[in-house]
C-alpha cells in the first residue's frame, strides 16, 4: 500500500486493488534488469486509472531492492520547455552533474542528449538503474531524444525504463512511439478499470461491509474509475450518503472535483465534448454534438471514446446524473446561456422536439429571438397534452418574462391560468386581475372572455364577472357561428349555476333544440340539458338523459371537455339516474386517476360523493367528499365548495357524527357562494344539521331560504333540492301538520314521475301527517318506490317508520321483521339510529334524523343470499311478503292468483329453510328491480 496526499486536503490511503498482476509484471522486468538484460515497460491506462499509484508502489520496491531510482513527471507545460523531464531525472542523482550543467547552458540539444545517455549508462555499471517517467505523453522532445538514445543501448545494460502514458494520448510523439514499440525488450502493461468486485473491495477497506454491498451501484456510477471511486468514499465519510446509491441526491465536493480533474487532465477536447454532452444531454447524438461544437463527427469520435474509457460516459450518455451535474455546474453563467441558446437554435433548425428546444430556451434564461415565444407556447401545449403540467408552467412563465407584446402576453397568461387550473385552481387567482385588465383593453376574444368569466365566477369575483357578463350580453351573433355558440354556452351556464347574474331582459327561454341541423357544441349541449333538468317543472325527461349519455359517450376527458362531462354527470344525477351516473363517473374517475390531473380527480370525486349520498352509501360519500376537498383545498373549490362541502356535511350528519359536522361548518366559504346554485346544496346540508341537533327554527330558515332562491332563479326542481319536504319535516317536529302536508303535496305536484325516489321520499314525509291506517298505506308505497330507486338512506328511514306504523297497529311480528331489515341497511350504510318523535312510535328508533344517542342495538341475523336459490318471481313475492303485505295484496300487485302467491311462498320457505314471514332474509330488496311490477 502507498499513500497519496489528496488534492482535497485529506490523507487517503490507497490500496492497489486488482493490481497484483501488473505489479508482478514490473517485478519480473526488474529481476531481468538485475541480471543485465535491460527492459522497457510502458504502463498504459486512462486518466485516473491508477498509473501514478502503481509507479510509486513500484518505486518503493526498486529502492528496497537496491536499485538506483530516477523519476520524473511530465506536465502539459513541459512540452515547450527543453530538457524539462531530463532535468527532473538528473536531479535525482546522488551527486550533481557538473558537465551536464555546462551543456544545458550551451543549449546544444544533441550534445546534451548524448552526454546524458552516456552518463546514465555508466551509472548502471555501478548499480541497476531504474528510470521512471510518468505522463510521458507530455514530455518535451529533447528529453525524449535522450530517452530514445537509452532505448537503443539498454539491451545488455542494467537499465529498466518504465514509462507511463495516458491511453491514446501519445500522438504528440508518434516517431518515438513507433521506435519504442518495435524494441524486442519492450513490454506493455495495460491498466484496466476496477471491476465491480474491485470497487467492493475498495469500499469495504474504507467504509466497511455494510457500505460495500452497494458497490454494484458505485461501479455503474464510475465505470471502475479509481479516482471517482475514491471520491465517492471521501464524500461518504463526510456526508454519510452511500456511494452510487440511486437515492443519493447531493453532489459531493470530492466527486465533483474528481470528475473535473479527469476531464482537465484528459485534455481540452475531452472537456469540450463533455460540456457539449452536458448541455445537450438526452438530445445529443454524436453527429449533433459535433455540429453543436462546430466539429466533424470523426474529430469528435476520439474524445468521446476517451470519455468512455474514463468511466464518465457510457453509450454516448453520462453514466450518472451527478456526473453530468458536475460538468454542467462548472460552466460559467454566460457560457451556459450561450451554449443553451446555440443548442435551442440547432435543435430548432434540425427538427428536434419542440419541448427539447423549449428546455434549452428556459435554461438560457434570456432569449431575444422572435421565434422563441411561439416555440415555448407549442411546447407548453404539447406538455399539457401529455398531462405534464410542471414543464408547461415553466415554459409559459418564462415566455411571459421575455414577451413584450401586450396581446401576446394576455394569450400566454390565459394559457397559464388554464394549465394551473389542472392542479392548483387557487394558484391561478393572481393572474385574474391582469387578464381582466387585458380584456378591458381588447386583447381577449369572445371565447377567451367567456373562459375568464367562468373562472371569475368560480372564485367569487362578482364585480369583475358582472362587468364581463354585461359586455358579453351586448354582443350579437354574427355570420361566424363560433361566438354565437360561445354566448349560448355562457347563457346556459348562468342559468344553471349563476342564475342571479342573468342580465335583465335576456329572458330564461331555451332555444337549445330549435335548430337540429346546426347543433351547438357539446359544451353548450351539456350546459343546456343541465339547465333543463334544474328548471322549474321541467323535469328530467328522457331527452335530457339521452343527450347527457351521448355527451359522455362522445367526449374525451380533456381540458376543453371536462366541464361538459361534469355537467352531463350532474344531469344524470338530478334526473335520478344514480346507477347510470355511478358507472360513468367511476370510469371517468379511473381515467383521471391514471392521468394524474388533480382538478379532474377532485371534481369527479365530488360528483361521486354526491352519487353515493343519493344512493345512501354514507361511508363512500364521506370518503369521496374528503378526497375531493383535500386534493385542491377549500380555496381551490371556489364557490363550488358549497356542493362538495354540502355533500360531506350531509353525510356525516346522517351518520350522527356531529363533531365532524361542526368542524366542517367552521370552514370559511366564499360569501358569493350563496348567490350560486352551489350555495343551495350547502344551505340544505346545514339545515339538516340544525334539524338533527334540534335547532328547528334555524333549520326552517335555511330550507325556506333555499325555496325562495330556487323559486326566484327558476331552479325549483325537487330532484335537485327537495326544500319543501325538508321544511315539512321541520314543521312536523314543530307540530304544524297542516302546513307540512300542504308543502309535501305541493312538492309532489312538481315531480314528473311517481316512480321517482323524490316521490317516494315525499310519500314518507306525507305519511307523517296521516292517521295510523293512512300512514301504513303511504309508507308501504314509499318503501316500494325507494326500494326500486336504490336510495338506501331514505329506504332505511322509511322502513323504520313502517315498522313503527305496524307496531302502532298492534302488528308486532311485522314490526319486528321490518325493523330487522332496516337495521341491516343502517349497519351497512354506516348510519346511526335515533327516535323521531314526529313520525315514530314511542319505543322504536327511526332514521329520519340521526340522533343524539345510540338507542337501538338489536343484533342483526346473518342469512344466506336469496338470489342464489330463488327465482325472480319467488323473490318478488318474498320481498312484498317481508314488507307485511297479505297474500291477497301481493296477488293484486303482481297480477297473479292468490293460489300462485301461496305456492311461491311455500317454495320460498322451503328453499330458505324458514317457517314464517318474519324469518325472511333482510337483503331481499336488493334483488327485486320493482316489487310492484
Amino acid at each position: 500500500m502507498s499513500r497519496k496526499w489528496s488534492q482535497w486536503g485529506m490523507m487517503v490511503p490507497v490500496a492497489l486493488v486488482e493490481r497484483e498482476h501488473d505489479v508482478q509484471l514490473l517485478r519480473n522486468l526488474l529481476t531481468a534488469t538485475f541480471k543485465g538484460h535491460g527492459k522497457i515497460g510502458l504502463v498504459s491506462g486512462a486518466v485516473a486509472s491508477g498509473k501514478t499509484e502503481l509507479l510509486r508502489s513500484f518505486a518503493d520496491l526498486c529502492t528496497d531492492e537496491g536499485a538506483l531510482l530516477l523519476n520524473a513527471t511530465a506536465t502539459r507545460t513541459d512540452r515547450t520547455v527543453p530538457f524539462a523531464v531530463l532535468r527532473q531525472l538528473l536531479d535525482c542523482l546522488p551527486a550533481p552533474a557538473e558537465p551536464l550543467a555546462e551543456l544545458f547552458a550551451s543549449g546544444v540539444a544533441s550534445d546534451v542528449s548524448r552526454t546524458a545517455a552516456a552518463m546514465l549508462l555508466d551509472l548502471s555499471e555501478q548499480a541497476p538503474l531504474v528510470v521512471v517517467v510518468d505522463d510521458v505523453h507530455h514530455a518535451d522532445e529533447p528529453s525524449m531524444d535522450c530517452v530514445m538514445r537509452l532505448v537503443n543501448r539498454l539491451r545488455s545494460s542494467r537499465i529498466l525504463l518504465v514509462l507511463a502514458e495516458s491511453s491514446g494520448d501519445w500522438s504528440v510523439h508518434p516517431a518515438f512511439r513507433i521506435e519504442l514499440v518495435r524494441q524486442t525488450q519492450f513490454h506493455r502493461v495495460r491498466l484496466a478499470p476496477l471491476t465491480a468486485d474491485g470497487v467492493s473491495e475498495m469500499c469495504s477497506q474504507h467504509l466497511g461491509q455494510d457500505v460495500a454491498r452497494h458497490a454494484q451501484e458505485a461501479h455503474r456510477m464510475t465505470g471502475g474509475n479509481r479516482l471517482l471511486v475514491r471520491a465517492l468514499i471521501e464524500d461518504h465519510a463526510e456526508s454519510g450518503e452511500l456511494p452510487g446509491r440511486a437515492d443519493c441526491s447531493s453532489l459531493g465536493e470530492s466527486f465533483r472535483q474528481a470528475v473535473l480533474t479527469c476531464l482537465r487532465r484528459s485534455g481540452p477536447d475531452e472537456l469540450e465534448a463533455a460540456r457539449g454532452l452536458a448541455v445537450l444531454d438526452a438530445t445529443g447524438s454524436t453527429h449533433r454534438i459535433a455540429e453543436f461544437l462546430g466539429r466533424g463527427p470523426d474529430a469528435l469520435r476520439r474524445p468521446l471514446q476517451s470519455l468512455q474509457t474514463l468511466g464518465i460516459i457510457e453509450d454516448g450518455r453520462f453514466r450518472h446524473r451527478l456526473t453530468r451535474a458536475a460538468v454542467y455546474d462548472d460552466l460559467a453563467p454566460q457560457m451556459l446561456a450561450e451554449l443553451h441558446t446555440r443548442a435551442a437554435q440547432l435543435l430548432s433548425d434540425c427538427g428536434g422536439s419542440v419541448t427539447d428546444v423549449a428546455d434549452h430556451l428556459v435554461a438560457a434564461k434570456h432569449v431575444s429571438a422572435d421565434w422563441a415565444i411561439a416555440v415555448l407556447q407549442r411546447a407548453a401545449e404539447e406538455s399539457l397534452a401529455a398531462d405534464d403540467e410542471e414543464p408547461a408552467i415553466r415554459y409559459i412563465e418564462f415566455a411571459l418574462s421575455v414577451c413584450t407584446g401586450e396581446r401576446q402576453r394576455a394569450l400566454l397568461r390565459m394559457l397559464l391560468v388554464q394549465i394551473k387550473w389542472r392542479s392548483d385552481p387557487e394558484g391561478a387567482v393572481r393572474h385574474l386581475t391582469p387578464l381582466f385588465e387585458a380584456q378591458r383593453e381588447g386583447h381577449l376574444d369572445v371565447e377567451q372572455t367567456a373562459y375568464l368569466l367562468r373562472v371569475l365566477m368560480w372564485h367569487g369575483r362578482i364585480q369583475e364577472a358582472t362587468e364581463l357578463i354585461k359586455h358579453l350580453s351586448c354582443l350579437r351573433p354574427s355570420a361566424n357561428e363560433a361566438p354565437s355558440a360561445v354566448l349560448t354556452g355562457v347563457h346556459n351556464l348562468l342559468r344553471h349555476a349563476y342564475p342571479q347574474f342573468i342580465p335583465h331582459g335576456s329572458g330564461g327561454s331555451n332555444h337549445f333544440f330549435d335548430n337540429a341541423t346546426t347543433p351547438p357544441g357539446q359544451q353548450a349541449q351539456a350546459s343546456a340539458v343541465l339547465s333543463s333538468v334544474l328548471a322549474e317543472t321541467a323535469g328530467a325527461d328522457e331527452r335530457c338523459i339521452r343527450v347527457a349519455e351521448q355527451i359522455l359517450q362522445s367526449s374525451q376527458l380533456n381540458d376543453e371537455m371536462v366541464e361538459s362531462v361534469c355537467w352531463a354527470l350532474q344531469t344524470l344525477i338530478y334526473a335520478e339516474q344514480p346507477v347510470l351516473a355511478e358507472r360513468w363517473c367511476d370510469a371517468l374517475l379511473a381515467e383521471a386517476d391514471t392521468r394524474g390531473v388533480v382538478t379532474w380527480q377532485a371534481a369527479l370525486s365530488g360528483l361521486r360523493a354526491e352519487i353515493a349520498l343519493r344512493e345512501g352509501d354514507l361511508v363512500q360519500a364521506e370518503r369521496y367528499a374528503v378526497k375531493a376537498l383535500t386534493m385542491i383545498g377549500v380555496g381551490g373549490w371556489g364557490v363550488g365548495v358549497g356542493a362538495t362541502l354540502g355533500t360531506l356535511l350531509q353525510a356525516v350528519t346522517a351518520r350522527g357524527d356531529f363533531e365532524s359536522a361542526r368542524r366542517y361548518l367552521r370552514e370559511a366559504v366564499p360569501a358569493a357562494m350563496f348567490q350560486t346554485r352551489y350555495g343551495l346544496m350547502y344551505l340544505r346540508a346545514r339545515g339538516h344539521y340544525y334539524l338533527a341537533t334540534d335547532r328547528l327554527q334555524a333549520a326552517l330558515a335555511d330550507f325556506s331560504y333555499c325555496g325562495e332562491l330556487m323559486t326566484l332563479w327558476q331552479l325549483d326542481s325537487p330532484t335537485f333540492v327537495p326544500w319543501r319536504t325538508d321544511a315539512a319535516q321541520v314543521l312536523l317536529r314543530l307540530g304544524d301538520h297542516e302546513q307540512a302536508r300542504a308543502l309535501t303535496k305541493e312538492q309532489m305536484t312538481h315531480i314528473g314521475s311517481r316512480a321517482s325516489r323524490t316521490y317516494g321520499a315525499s310519500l314518507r314525509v306525507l305519511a307523517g301527517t296521516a292517521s295510523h291506517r293512512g300512514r301504513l298505506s303511504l309508507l308501504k308505497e314509499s318503501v316500494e318506490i325507494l326500494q326500486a330507486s336504490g336510495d338506501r338512506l331514505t329506504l332505511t328511514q322509511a322502513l323504520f317508520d313502517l315498522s313503527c306504523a305496524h307496531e302502532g297497529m298492534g302488528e308486532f311480528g311485522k314490526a319486528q321483521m321490518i325493523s330487522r331489515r332496516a337495521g341491516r341497511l343502517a349497519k351497512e350504510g354506516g348510519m346511526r339510529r335515533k327516535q323521531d318523535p314526529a313520525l315514530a312510535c314511542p319505543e322504536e328508533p327511526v332514521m329520519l334524523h340521526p340522533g343524539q344517542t345510540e338507542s337501538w342495538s338489536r343484533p342483526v341475523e346473518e342469512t344466506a343470499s336469496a338470489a342464489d336459490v330463488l327465482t325472480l318471481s319467488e323473490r318478488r313475492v318474498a320481498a312484498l311478503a317481508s314488507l307485511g303485505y297479505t297474500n291477497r295484496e301481493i296477488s293484486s300487485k303482481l297480477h297473479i292468483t292468490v293460489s300462485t302467491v301461496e305456492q311461491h311462498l311455500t317454495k320460498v320457505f322451503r328453499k330458505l329453510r324458514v317457517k314464517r314471514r318474519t324469518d325472511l332474509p333482510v337483503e331481499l330488496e336488493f334483488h327485486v328491480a320493482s316489487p310492484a311490477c
Side-chain angles (χ1 to χ4, degrees), residues 569-783:
L569 285 172
Q570 287 173 323
T571 299
L572 296 179
I573 294 171
Y574 304 140
E576 298 200 332
Q577 300 292 321
V579 176
L580 191 58
E582 178 183 350
R583 187 174 74 243
W584 277 109
C585 192
D586 284 345
L588 291 165
L589 187 54
E591 181 180 351
D593 288 341
T594 301
R595 295 173 64 181
V597 183
V598 176
T599 302
W600 299 357
Q601 294 172 276
L604 291 167
S605 294
L607 293 177
R608 186 64 181 82
E610 195 172 346
I611 294 168
L613 180 64
R614 287 173 175 260
E615 292 178 327
D617 191 343
L618 302 181
V619 176
Q620 285 287 73
E622 182 178 0
R623 183 174 73 86
Y624 278 112
V626 168
K627 175 184 176 182
L629 291 168
T630 302
M631 295 196 80
I632 58 175
V634 172
W637 272 97
V639 296
V641 74
T644 305
L645 191 57
T647 299
L648 178 58
L649 182 58
Q650 198 167 347
V652 297
T653 298
R655 296 189 65 189
D657 185 1
F658 300 138
E659 181 60 35
S660 293
R662 282 189 289 272
R663 185 172 71 253
Y664 296 138
L665 279 172
R666 288 194 293 268
E667 288 283 355
V669 295
M673 180 189 77
F674 296 99
Q675 298 175 271
T676 72
R677 164 168 61 90
Y678 311 106
L680 299 174
M681 302 172 70
Y682 183 86
L683 283 171
R684 187 193 184 213
R686 189 174 68 182
H688 276 285
Y689 167 77
Y690 289 150
L691 179 58
T693 54
D694 294 326
R695 299 169 63 180
L696 301 182
Q697 293 299 334
L700 186 59
D702 274 351
F703 295 146
S704 299
Y705 187 46
C706 263
E708 292 175 15
L709 292 177
M710 293 175 70
T711 304
L712 175 65
W713 295 342
Q714 298 181 10
L715 296 180
D716 197 7
S717 170
T719 59
F720 170 47
V721 174
W723 67 270
R724 292 177 178 85
T725 48
D726 289 340
Q729 293 177 46
V730 183
L731 292 170
L732 284 173
R733 296 277 292 276
L734 293 172
D736 190 349
H737 286 223
E738 183 177 348
Q739 181 63 18
R741 183 178 182 84
L743 279 174
T744 305
K745 285 282 191 180
E746 183 182 351
Q747 175 166 293
M748 294 171 72
T749 62
H750 283 261
I751 301 172
S753 170
R754 292 177 65 90
S756 163
R757 63 176 287 277
T758 307
Y759 192 87
S762 300
L763 284 172
R764 173 182 169 265
V765 178
L766 185 63
T769 69
S771 62
H772 285 298
R773 182 64 61 184
R775 177 180 302 178
L776 192 63
S777 175
L778 289 170
L779 285 173
K780 284 184 177 181
E781 185 180 356
S782 172
V783 167

Side-chain angles (χ1 to χ4, degrees), residues 869-881:
V869 295
L870 299 182
T871 66
L872 178 60
S873 298
E874 290 167 351
R875 293 204 305 271
R876 287 175 174 172
V877 171
L880 292 175

